[in-house]
Amino acid sequence: MALFDLSGRRALITGSSKGIGFAVAEALASAGAAIVLNARDPDRLEVARSVLAAKGYDAVSAAFDVTDPDAVALGVGDIEDTSGPIDILINNAGIQHRAPLEEFPLEAWRRLCATNIDSAFLMGQAVARRMIPRGRGKIINICSVQSELARPGIAPYTATKGAIKMLTKGMATDWARHGLQINAIGPGYFKTELNAALVADTAFSGWLEKRTPAGRWGEVHELAGAAIFLASEASSFVNGHILYVDGGITASL
């Protein structure tokens, strides 16, 4: 099990005050990693940090806007100066906006692109610049089944997640030779705050259960294994890969 041991490693997880980001942070902490939680709301971050600390995990918080280039540069620099090198970066920050494509607001499009794509580019670049001289590092981007599949009303979101899939491959192509592994997790439909309205929609939930071979929604703790694998030495020769954790939905018509 030493292959999966993250002791002595530091992981920065964006968008980690709740949902998938927090679940991934807790998973990495359980494998021994020191955790740096990131989001824009310091109060919510402190709540999340205190939950991890109460379980005996090493966790600190760093509140800054991952869509702001200056804030990213300062935030990453401060983490490395005060806590230590970032060994693992999880680019999880993301938002959703649902509307018919022909009526989709331009401002919502720009907000989606900034949060879902710009943040991964900015954070990946800032952290990789520090990982490359060290000759090692792990970057895990959070994709989605929408990196492969579309549904009505979320075409811009689908576009951003398709972009993250290809950014992952591009990062691996540029940075693998420096000793970095850059991969992605593609969650299916999980019970999170982002999906609360869909979970409560009995018609949608019924459709999803029939559409998914596993026959149910995913629980966020079920992302733990994938996150630990891609963050650990167990994936030392895995690069540019998107690992779908989706109950089989991308495998079945």
Side-chain angles (χ1 to χ4, degrees):
M1 297 303 292
L3 281 174
F4 300 93
D5 185 7
L6 298 179
S7 299
R9 300 286 187 262
R10 180 168 290 97
L12 168 60
I13 305 95
T14 70
S16 52
S17 62
K18 59 184 178 180
I20 287 174
F22 181 78
V24 168
E26 186 168 17
L28 299 188
S30 74
I35 301 301
V36 182
L37 300 172
N38 164 265
R40 286 180 293 188
D41 186 335
D43 294 332
R44 294 196 70 160
L45 270 183
E46 177 53 29
V47 170
R49 189 207 62 78
S50 65
V51 171
L52 295 183
K55 295 182 178 183
Y57 297 137
D58 180 354
V60 299
S61 60
F64 59 90
D65 184 351
V66 292
T67 70
D68 181 333
D70 293 334
V72 166
L74 289 171
V76 168
D78 185 60
I79 291 165
E80 294 233 343
D81 290 343
T82 59
S83 296
I86 298 165
D87 303 292
I88 303 157
L89 168 66
I90 314 291
N91 279 316
N92 170 72
I95 59 171
Q96 175 65 286
H97 187 99
R98 295 180 173 87
L101 183 56
E102 67 276 13
E103 299 171 5
F104 207 91
L106 178 59
E107 181 53 39
W109 164 267
R110 288 175 171 161
R111 191 166 60 251
L112 276 171
C113 289
T115 305
N116 296 1
I117 305 175
D118 291 1
S119 66
F121 167 76
L122 293 169
M123 290 296 296
Q125 188 181 64
V127 172
R129 284 171 174 163
R130 294 166 180 270
M131 289 177 168
I132 287 170
R134 296 194 285 259
R136 61 174 293 137
K138 300 276 191 173
I139 298 176
I140 303 170
N141 297 322
I142 302 300
C143 286
S144 166
V145 292
Q146 266 73 53
S147 297
E148 302 290 345
L149 305 171
R151 291 198 71 254
I154 58 168
Y157 178 83
T158 301
T160 66
K161 289 303 182 178
I164 291 299
K165 177 182 77 170
M166 295 311 299
L167 181 61
T168 300
K169 293 176 182 289
M171 286 177 169
T173 301
D174 277 12
W175 296 337
R177 65 181 180 271
H178 298 295
L180 279 61
Q181 288 88 52
I182 302 91
N183 296 289
I185 297 172
Y189 283 86
F190 280 76
K191 292 180 178 178
T192 65
E193 290 183 28
L194 192 66
N195 285 328
L198 296 179
V199 174
D201 185 332
T202 55
F204 183 87
S205 284
W207 170 85
L208 179 67
E209 289 164 5
K210 292 178 181 178
R211 175 67 179 80
T212 305
R216 61 179 177 82
W217 286 85
E219 302 287 346
V220 289
H221 68 83
E222 293 177 296
L223 293 165
I228 293 169
F229 167 64
L230 291 178
S232 70
E233 289 304 306
S235 59
S236 61
F237 200 57
V238 180
N239 239 317
H241 178 69
I242 291 80
L243 175 53
Y244 288 99
V245 184
D246 63 359
I249 199 168
T250 54
S252 174
L253 290 172

